[in-house]
Every structure is written in C-alpha cells, then in structure tokens.
Amino acid sequence: MDQPNPVKAAAQKVAGAVTDRGREDDREEAELPGAPAARPAPLEEPTEPHDPLPPKPDQHGPATVSPTGVPTGADQAAMAQAGAYHTTAQGLRLPDTDHSLKAGPRGPVLLQDHHLREKVMHFDHERIPERVVHARGAGAHGVFRSYGTAAQVTKAAFLAKDTQTPVFVRFSTVLGSRGSADTVRDTRGFATKFYTSEGVFDLVGNNIPVFFIQDAIKFPDVIHAGKPHPDREIPQAQSAHDTFWDFVSLHTEATHHTLWNMSDRGIARSFRTMEGFGIHTFRLVNAEGTTTLVKWHWKPKQGVHSMVWEEAQITAGMDPDFHRRDLADAIEAGAYPEWELGIQTFPDTPEQMFEGIDLLDPTKIVPEEIAPVQPIGLLTLNANPANFFAETEQIAFHPGHLVPGIDITDDPLLAGRLFSYLDTQITRLGGPNFPQIPVNRPHAPVNDMQRDSFHQTAVHRGVAPYRPNSLDGGCPFAAGAAEGGYVEVPVPLAAATKVREAPATFDDHFSHPRRFWLSMSPVEKEHIINAYTFELSKCWERAIQERQLRVLANIDPYLCEQVAAGLGLPAPAPSEALAEVRPSPALSQVGKEWPVTGRILGIVTDGGTAADTVAAVRRAALDADMVPLVIAPALGDGGDGDGGVTAQRTFANARSVEFDALVLAGTPAPGADALGARDAKAGDGAEAGPVTDPRVMLLIDETYRHAKPLGGWGDVRRIWEVLNIAPDAPGVVTSDNPAAVFDGIVGHLRHHRVWHRFPAQAPATY
C-alpha cells in the first residue's frame, strides 16, 4: 500500500495545474495535459531564426532502423525536419512563401513558379484515398433550367433561355474526415457539375462567399492549421484548437472568412437552407465578344437557416449523418430542394475594381445593395445517387472545367486552384483517366488524343493520336470560335517585373469583417460572441487568445470586450481606426419570411386519444408541403379513430433537433419504457409527475430553448405550467382549436425561429 496511486496522482496534477495555466516559469512542474507544443507560444510572431523545437516529453517517433529492419543507432531527430530556414524539398532556402510569383503585383501567376507548384503538388497528395479537404460529403442529381436572363452577358449554351442541363451537386464539410459529423462548425462546400452540350462546367464554391487566404500558395498552410494536430490527430472536424487560431490570428487576411465561420453560417440547418458562392470573380463573354466580370450566387428557395450551437452539438451525437440524411430523405419524399443561380455583374475595367472593392481579392465581397444579385436559372435536386462511392465519392470537380462564354480572371487564389484540383485527382482517382469514371463523363463528344495510362476504359481506334496527321484523315480538327471552340479572352498585360507581392488593395483585412458584424441582427451577434468565446477557450496558449483579441478589436470594440470577458482577459484597444462602412442587410439571416416547404413538424400524441384530430393536422402539414412526423410512446402507435395515423418516432428516439416545430395533442402519459435504467432521458421516471412522459418534457424544453415554434391543445397548459412556459410566450401557440394551433405554427415557421423569445443584449448597430 506504500505505492502511490498513479490515477490519483495524475488527477491531482491536472487539478493543481488549472491554476497555473498560462504561467511559463513552472510549466514543467505542473502542466495541464494538452499543451500543443514543447514551449509556450509568444504573443508576437517569432522572427529570430532557430532550429525546430524538440518534441514534447511524452512523444517519440518510430525506432531508427534500416529498410531491412537493422537498427541504425541514429538519433530520431535525424528523421525530422532540420534547419532554421524554410526551404524547398530540395533544400533551397526561400525568402517568401506567402505570395505566388506573378507578372507584377496584379499580374497573372507565372507557370514557372517552381515553389508554388512543389508546395501545392505535395499538399494535393497528402491523403489517400479520401480528399484532403471536403472529405465528408453528400451528393445528388438534378436539373438546371436557365431563365435566359444571362444570355446578354454570356454565350454559354446552357444559359440560353429554357435550356435544361443535368447536374450533380456535392455538399461537404472542409476539415473533417469521411467519418466525422455533419453538423460541426465549418465551412461547407457547394460544388456543381453541369453536363452541358459544350462539355462539363464545374462551379466549385462554398457556403461562404470569401476565403481565408488571398493567394493559393497559402492553402496548405491554412488547411494544415485547421486540421487535427499532427501528433495526436485531434481535435477532429473543428477549428476550436491552437493551431487554427495561431494561424488566423497571425495571418489577418483570414479575418473575414473566420468571422463568417463563427456566425450561424458555420452551422447550417441543412444543405437545403444553405447559400452557395463561387467566391472568385469570373469573366463572362457574350456572342459579340463583350466581357463582363461576375460573381456567382446560389440562393435557396427555402431561405437561409442555421442551427443554434447546442442543437449542432446534440445532433452530432444523436445523428452524425444529419445533413446527408436530410438531403436524401427530402429528395425521396419528393420535397425537392431548389436554388436560384444568380450573378452580380461588374464592368470589365483594366483595374478590375468596383466601388473601391478589389474584385481579384477573394477575401472581399461586394454588398448586394450596390450590385444586386440577378437570377439566371433554377437548380432542382430530384434524384439520389444509386451508389455513394461510384458517384458522390468519385466525382471530380475542377475550376478549370469551363465552357465557351465563361473565362477566369487573375485572382491568385483561383490560379492556384486551377493547378491544384487537376493535380489532386491523379492521386485520388488513380491516374489521369478520371474523366472516364461514369459520374465525371461529359455529355458531349470527346476526342482528346489522350491515350493509355491507369484505368483506361475507352477502346480507342485509329493510329494517329497526334496533330497534324494524315493517317487518321486529319481527325481531330481544330475548332475556332465559330465552331464552338474555347478561345481565352485576349486580356492585355501591362509590362511588369516578376515579384512575390500582393497589390496594396489586398492589405485591408478589417473593413469587410466590420461590415459583416454591423450587418448582423442582435441575436446573430450574440451567437458570434459565443462562438469566438467557445473556440478560443479551447486554445491552450493564452498568447494566441490575446493575439486574436487584438484582431477582434479592429473589427468592433463590443465584440472584443464580450469575448475578452468570456475568456477572463482584458480587451485591447484597436490598433487602427475602425473602418467607416455601411451595413448590408442581405448578409443577415434574420428578418425575412420564407416558404415552409420541407419543414419538419413533430406531432406528439399519446397513442390512446382519437387519432382524427392528429390526422387532420398531419394532412394540413402535408398540404403545406411540410414533413409531419408523429411521435408516440411506441412506433405505429398513433391513436384510435379513423385517421389512419402511424407514429414514425417514439418518446425514446425522438430529439428536438430533428424538428423545426413541435405541437402536442394533449398530455401523453409516461410510456412503458420511461425507465431511467433503460433510457437516461427518462431520469427516475417521476420528474414530470403526473403530467406527461419525462422524455416529452425534455423534447419540449429543448424546442423552447432553441427558439422554435411550439404549440398544443387539450391539457397542454399543464405542461406549460410545469416547465414555466407562458401560454402566450413568443412563438407558443395555445388554443382549443387544433387548426388554429397549426396556422399559428406555420406563421412562426416562415421566420425560421422565434428569436424575440430571448431578447439579445448586443446592440443592433453603432
């Protein structure tokens, strides 16, 4: 009994270290587990060169043996990175890894940039076989019908009036692996493959209109920072950790995207209620050769809608497949998701600026109030894949998959993507023949003179896959513009010097985030404050928290003060004058009305009451194109009567996060399985007293707390009383008339949530 208890000793060490967090002098003696590195991070970016830091005491690598298993006796450090200076893989020291090599600060990126190609190429091949980013995805088939309103600015055939084009859309999260949860806080991909008569056009975007970086050479950096820490492979599918906030607090061009991610946009309610953006500025060309600069927008017909943070956390545990299930179920039920494709248009001037906004900077937006989004077509998803791997997993997108009438610009992030996407497919899909995989095949004739290689499935004929030739009769022939050939816009280039620089207009990192913040409603601001506080509280290093507070101070003092208070730190003053910007109401998700199509209504019944009333409410929901789900003590137990009601959910398996609104048909008695030993949500089975099943009480409480519409009839007032819910509280509909309850619920659902149920403290604007 003289031996110390190692479990107790470890617990005491952790408890004692809590008060020492952030102290550098005794970090070795009393350390809280989870420090990301061997030494504490300084507040300022280190600039004095030194060798790589050693590993933490609890870490070591594999034994140093030869390829044939013979011990070499070499120091493990010999297998790690070496030297104080950044180099290429060949050992060439580098003065800059933040900028691609361009023809002048605003010029196009040069193909000769060996560092860009090596850095991005290696990054592209880091993961086999899942995607390095956007690994967790869901897809669907559909059709795009053009309105014809874009015909004046582009000659693209699929945008001619009433042209219908088959599509495949893939939605995804960015950071998580294929096995991660859908509802994590993250950016989401929104990639669309148009199978046009002129070849494939890929619109590869996100649900956020800006990106973390301005130059593709930084893409490996931002993803390495956001991915799980490489030593522990945690945390999975989230940005609430040191390396992410270390990067974005030092690399302030990421501020705008980070703010969007910390808003409700980072936790979408479903793919069906998510906007999409092309991010970059593209160039359209019409039949006369006139060019127009554009930004692409997808607008969901059901409106933009998000989860609250607690909902997202519960859902990740209850149903990590929530978003992909929601999409597949909606399509199967015939509630086809729809989006309008729209464009913002800008004059194609040599400066490529609009109202003082640099159109080549992917960290900036153009407010819709000064450049309205013009609808040009309707996307409808109407079929689920037959095989997830063959279609959703093997589909390959590329921003360089273009058609006549659509061209690129000199956005340096887009330039790198044009290389990266194509390069990535070679590893992921086993070689250069990935366009022959069925889901990737163009719906237009292909005669590319490419031959052989891995997974060649075409059986080519002829003997002359080269041009010019006479043995195959000269085929294939060149196609000029008149024959539908793709001709790049002959953009004149100014004389320039090769440089690794960015234009001065890229230096503004705070005015656009400030506009986004000022455009939010008070409740959305509260959510942003909470998100920053939660994420930064997960950082081990105080210096990183303090550094990020400096960034927030340059967005808005109130935001900075509130997050600082949540972290127990002083709020710093802004380091530069706050930008004078106008709010953009289009950026807020609150204050509009939307259709209730596809909304999920939970109907709680006891399985013993006459089902006629429940059936009537269910029919009304179906007539409104909603999805009604009956919740009863047991499956199939919907009640007596002639209504033919069947329960699809039980008190045991239903959770509030699945429903957009909840109605109660009376006060169901506790179910036979309301036993704490069997279902922890039931507690001791007596918490609710004689009112109703304790799991129903939890269902109601969460629905109310998450600001969702709530209603009922019969003895429902008894439940309201026990839960301290006023019968006339905001968003609560109480009536003896079930039809009136349903109508009231629908009215509230048009606003998505009942935000005024919990008044926000954040100011509306300054």
Side-chain angles (χ1 to χ4, degrees):
M1 299 298 292
D2 294 334
Q3 296 296 323
N5 183 331
V7 177
K8 182 178 180 181
Q12 289 176 333
K13 180 180 180 182
V14 172
V18 171
T19 58
D20 296 318
R21 182 173 180 175
R23 289 170 55 185
E24 298 183 16
D25 55 349
D26 59 354
R27 186 166 177 171
E28 293 286 339
E29 287 72 25
E31 179 147 13
L32 183 66
R39 297 177 188 169
L43 180 61
E44 305 297 340
E45 179 180 4
T47 56
E48 186 65 28
H50 59 76
D51 286 336
L53 295 180
K56 292 164 56 180
D58 63 303
Q59 300 173 327
H60 66 80
T64 52
V65 298
S66 74
T68 56
V70 179
T72 65
D75 188 336
Q76 289 186 349
M79 300 171 65
Q81 67 269 33
Y85 293 95
H86 187 200
T87 73
T88 66
Q90 311 305 317
L92 177 69
R93 290 186 177 182
L94 295 165
D96 187 317
T97 190
D98 289 346
H99 303 92
S100 299
L101 189 65
K102 298 188 283 290
R106 298 186 61 76
V109 174
L110 301 179
L111 182 63
Q112 73 180 70
D113 190 350
H114 61 92
H115 174 42
L116 166 69
R117 288 187 288 123
E118 179 191 80
K119 183 176 179 180
V120 176
M121 176 274 295
H122 191 282
F123 170 74
D124 290 341
H125 300 280
E126 283 183 3
R127 300 290 187 276
I128 300 173
E130 74 176 27
R131 291 167 169 87
V132 179
V133 290
H134 297 278
R136 172 82 178 175
H141 296 276
V143 63
F144 176 79
R145 179 176 62 82
S146 172
Y147 298 156
T149 49
Q152 60 184 336
V153 292
T154 179
K155 60 184 179 181
F158 81 99
L159 292 176
K161 184 174 177 57
D162 292 333
T163 299
Q164 296 200 44
T165 303
V167 302
F168 190 95
V169 177
R170 187 177 187 271
F171 304 101
S172 56
T173 54
V174 172
L175 293 178
S177 68
R178 282 189 62 193
S180 57
D182 281 346
T183 59
V184 295
R185 183 180 293 281
D186 198 359
T187 305
R188 283 165 174 79
F190 192 135
T192 308
K193 186 177 289 290
F194 296 82
Y195 303 95
T196 85
S197 61
E198 299 176 298
V200 166
F201 170 58
D202 285 347
L203 181 50
V204 193
N206 288 335
N207 72 321
I208 291 176
V210 291
F211 206 64
F212 287 108
I213 53 176
Q214 298 166 325
D215 193 311
I217 201 169
K218 296 296 294 181
F219 195 69
D221 299 297
V222 66
I223 299 303
H224 285 168
K227 283 286 190 177
H229 292 202
D231 53 353
R232 296 187 175 192
E233 187 64 12
I234 56 174
Q236 175 63 242
Q238 57 183 297
S239 55
H241 55 87
D242 286 78
T243 57
F244 174 80
W245 289 101
D246 184 41
F247 176 82
V248 299
S249 62
L250 290 169
H251 203 66
T252 54
E253 70 189 51
T255 301
H256 196 191
H257 189 141
T258 304
L259 184 59
W260 276 75
N261 234 25
M262 294 302 105
S263 76
D264 292 341
R265 303 286 185 140
I267 42 176
R269 165 62 178 81
S270 70
F271 297 136
R272 299 182 290 138
T273 58
M274 194 174 77
E275 280 186 295
F277 303 91
I279 302 172
H280 309 286
T281 298
F282 287 78
R283 178 178 279 112
L284 299 187
V285 188
N286 67 12
E288 289 73 40
T290 304
T291 61
T292 304
L293 299 182
V294 302
K295 285 184 177 290
W296 305 97
H297 293 250
W298 289 111
K299 299 285 189 182
K301 296 289 280 185
Q302 288 184 257
V304 188
H305 186 31
S306 298
M307 291 184 166
V308 296
W309 181 228
E310 185 184 54
E311 254 188 313
Q313 292 175 300
I314 294 173
T315 306
M318 184 202 76
D319 185 4
D321 304 307
F322 185 80
H323 283 159
R324 62 170 60 181
R325 190 188 312 280
D326 176 90
L327 178 67
D329 286 353
I331 293 172
E332 184 177 358
Y336 299 143
E338 292 184 324
W339 291 260
E340 276 193 318
L341 179 62
I343 54 174
Q344 288 179 296
T345 62
F346 320 100
D348 189 0
T349 63
E351 298 79 18
Q352 296 176 91
M353 302 279 290
F354 182 78
E355 298 288 333
I357 299 169
D358 193 330
L359 297 176
L360 299 188
D361 184 348
T363 69
K364 307 290 196 301
I365 65 166
V366 178
E368 295 182 26
E369 290 75 20
I370 63 175
V373 176
Q374 306 167 53
I376 64 172
L378 181 68
L379 166 68
T380 303
L381 297 183
N382 55 18
N384 287 311
N387 183 282
F388 184 91
F389 178 82
E391 300 169 87
T392 306
E393 190 61 22
Q394 289 195 120
I395 195 162
F397 296 96
H398 176 33
H401 291 165
L402 303 167
V403 293
I406 303 176
D407 204 345
I408 61 170
T409 59
D410 291 334
D411 177 337
L413 177 62
L414 177 57
R417 292 179 70 197
L418 293 172
F419 164 74
S420 178
Y421 279 63
L422 189 62
D423 183 54
T424 299
Q425 313 304 344
I426 295 174
T427 290
R428 281 205 65 250
L429 299 173
N433 286 314
F434 65 86
Q436 295 183 17
I437 295 172
V439 74
N440 294 322
R441 292 175 184 173
H443 294 193
V446 174
N447 195 345
D448 58 9
M449 294 192 296
Q450 312 295 350
R451 293 293 185 270
D452 308 335
S453 192
F454 293 102
H455 309 301
Q456 176 62 256
T457 57
V459 183
H460 295 105
R461 299 177 179 179
V463 297
Y466 53 83
R467 291 196 74 251
N469 77 73
S470 62
L471 295 178
D472 281 347
C475 187
F477 300 92
E483 293 79 33
Y486 186 89
V487 180
E488 287 82 2
V489 176
V491 179
L493 300 178
T497 304
K498 291 190 300 184
V499 294
R500 290 192 184 275
E501 295 179 8
T505 48
F506 279 38
D507 292 339
D508 172 18
H509 298 167
F510 298 115
S511 67
H512 282 243
R514 179 160 172 77
R515 174 186 285 114
F516 183 82
W517 167 260
L518 293 179
S519 303
M520 295 295 99
S521 66
V523 69
E524 289 171 304
K525 290 180 179 178
E526 297 286 6
H527 294 166
I528 291 172
I529 291 167
N530 185 60
Y532 270 108
T533 305
F534 173 84
E535 296 254 331
L536 290 171
S537 72
K538 294 291 186 177
C539 292
W540 207 100
E541 297 287 358
R542 280 293 196 186
I544 292 174
Q545 297 171 337
E546 293 171 3
R547 193 189 306 138
Q548 182 60 33
L549 288 175
R550 291 180 177 180
V551 174
L552 298 184
N554 288 329
I555 299 175
D556 189 83
Y558 183 83
L559 170 62
C560 181
E561 291 164 5
Q562 295 301 305
V563 175
L567 297 174
L569 292 171
S575 60
E576 56 184 70
L578 296 177
E580 294 290 336
V581 292
R582 278 185 163 186
S584 171
L587 297 177
S588 173
Q589 297 183 103
V590 176
K592 307 177 184 69
E593 287 195 6
W594 303 101
V596 297
T597 304
R599 293 281 181 256
I600 300 176
L601 177 68
I603 307 173
V604 179
T605 182
D606 60 8
T609 306
D612 296 342
T613 302
V614 173
V617 171
R618 184 176 179 276
R619 283 195 300 271
L622 291 170
D623 290 342
D625 293 327
M626 297 170 65
V627 180
L629 296 178
V630 177
I631 310 164
L635 289 176
D637 191 2
D640 302 325
D642 299 324
V645 174
T646 299
Q648 297 89 12
R649 297 292 185 272
T650 69
F651 296 167
N653 71 14
R655 201 67 187 267
S656 64
V657 294
E658 187 176 9
F659 310 105
D660 294 295
L662 193 70
V663 296
L664 284 87
T667 55
D673 60 345
L675 306 171
R678 186 175 303 169
D679 185 351
K681 299 191 301 297
D684 61 8
E687 294 176 6
V691 181
T692 188
D693 190 292
R695 295 162 298 180
V696 172
M697 298 295 277
L698 177 63
L699 188 66
I700 298 167
D701 181 62
E702 288 180 347
T703 301
Y704 185 82
R705 194 165 67 245
H706 298 158
K708 296 178 181 179
L710 187 62
W713 57 87
D715 295 335
V716 73
R717 287 179 176 82
R718 296 168 57 203
I719 297 178
W720 300 160
E721 183 178 355
V722 172
L723 290 174
N724 293 318
I725 296 174
D728 58 351
V732 177
V733 185
T734 309
S735 173
D736 293 328
N737 182 349
V741 171
F742 176 78
D743 291 342
I745 291 290
V746 169
H748 289 299
L749 269 181
R750 295 190 186 281
H751 300 277
H752 291 319
R753 305 235 184 206
V754 188
W755 295 123
H756 58 288
R757 181 179 292 163
F758 307 108
Q761 300 300 310
T765 188
Y766 284 100

